[in-house]
Amino acid sequence: MVRYAEPGTVEWVESGGGPLIAVPETVLPFWAGADGDETASDYDRACEVDGFIGLLPVGDSAALVFGDEPASTTYLPDHRTFVRWSAADSEAALLAEVPAALDTAAWEAEVRWSVPGAVVLFDAAWPGTDATRADRVRIALEPGRYAVRAAHVRPGPETWLGLVQLRRLPG
């Protein structure tokens, strides 16, 4: 696997070339990744997501799929935003541009995502039960419904990033 992000301030998750996915912890055993005897694996279903984000049923919940490109991705809880590294000279340069990127983003249509609590971000090719892998990040989310929106932003000449922002919905 090619590493695009250097270890630093935040934990980055990378893929081997396909989409990343955020699966609620409670349904991780139901995500088979590229494994399985079916004609279309969970990974194949994730690859079919068109656009920046999409939802796929997993157990009695849904997983958030990060489409478009296999960019290194992290979660910034202060902004309730997943940040996807497309281009930047350094992690510090990329993270410094996030506030401006959030202010100027042209957001795509929202999706509604219900989560029972924490989710795990990882490469969609891996089974959810493969908890020993180091390239995963657990994200503590409050149970509930979220509006999820995505954008690709170019806040500077050398900095391009994807944003996937969560907004907690009442109820």
Side-chain angles (χ1 to χ4, degrees):
M1 168 181 354
V2 176
R3 180 164 284 287
Y4 297 99
E6 296 298 323
T9 308
V10 296
E11 291 183 80
W12 295 92
V13 175
E14 298 180 346
S15 95
L20 294 175
I21 189 162
V23 179
E25 236 174 11
T26 59
V27 296
L28 277 173
F30 298 105
W31 183 261
D35 296 342
D37 298 328
E38 311 230 356
T39 55
S41 68
D42 286 340
Y43 176 74
D44 292 331
R45 293 189 309 135
C47 288
E48 291 175 4
V49 167
D50 190 29
F52 292 128
I53 55 172
L55 297 174
L56 287 179
V58 180
D60 63 356
S61 193
L64 179 64
V65 179
F66 297 82
D68 190 37
E69 63 180 51
S72 298
T73 302
T74 193
Y75 183 73
L76 302 179
D78 292 348
H79 298 288
R80 284 194 173 163
T81 301
F82 292 92
V83 176
R84 311 198 68 213
W85 185 329
S86 295
D89 290 333
S90 67
E91 177 184 80
L94 180 88
L95 295 175
E97 294 287 355
V98 169
L102 287 167
D103 288 342
T104 61
W107 299 99
E108 300 277 318
E110 292 182 340
V111 298
R112 301 297 166 108
W113 188 30
S114 293
V115 296
V119 299
V120 179
L121 176 68
F122 60 98
D123 186 331
W126 298 111
T129 55
D130 195 358
T132 59
R133 298 195 58 84
D135 48 357
R136 294 176 167 230
V137 171
R138 181 181 187 273
I139 296 131
L141 293 179
E142 295 177 36
R145 295 175 354 151
Y146 291 84
V148 184
R149 62 186 185 171
H152 196 269
V153 185
R154 193 174 179 174
E158 302 294 323
T159 307
W160 304 352
L161 56 110
L163 299 170
V164 177
Q165 189 173 53
L166 308 178
R167 182 173 43 88
R168 182 88 192 272
L169 297 171

